[in-house]
Amino acid sequence: MSGDSKIGPVGGIGRAVPLRRVASETAAPMRAAAQLQPTPDSLPTARLTRLASSLADQAPPVDVARVAALRTAIAGGSYGVHPAIIASAMLDFHGGAD
């Protein structure tokens, strides 16, 4: 790096070009403070709170008929567990299958 003209004698970095003005110094006059305040509907937290509230009020998506069939199969002893199929599904879910 000894040939780099931007590196000074004590290892500091010299400035190749002068600093530019930041946008706030050259921008048009500021808008009124009332215009800068976000409306309550535009706040992400307010929207997320309303969404969470509406989702909490809804019933979870449950296939009642499927749950009843599984309960009957388990109670009757006809529900078979297949470890190889379960392991394969787990690997597929987590991206471990080729």
Side-chain angles (χ1 to χ4, degrees), residues 13-48:
I13 298 177
R15 186 168 315 285
V17 294
L19 289 174
R20 292 179 284 182
R21 295 183 142 222
V22 293
S24 63
E25 292 177 350
T26 60
M30 297 279 294
R31 289 181 271 171
Q35 291 175 331
L36 295 176
Q37 295 297 324
T39 61
D41 289 339
S42 68
L43 293 173
T45 53
R47 284 186 288 183
L48 288 174

Side-chain angles (χ1 to χ4, degrees), residues 7-12:
I7 298 178
V10 288

Side-chain angles (χ1 to χ4, degrees), residues 7 11 22 27 31 34 59 66-67 72 76 79 83 93 95 97-98:
I7 298 178
V22 293
R31 289 181 271 171
R66 175 77 174 140
V67 171
T72 304
Y79 181 75
F93 179 80
D98 293 323

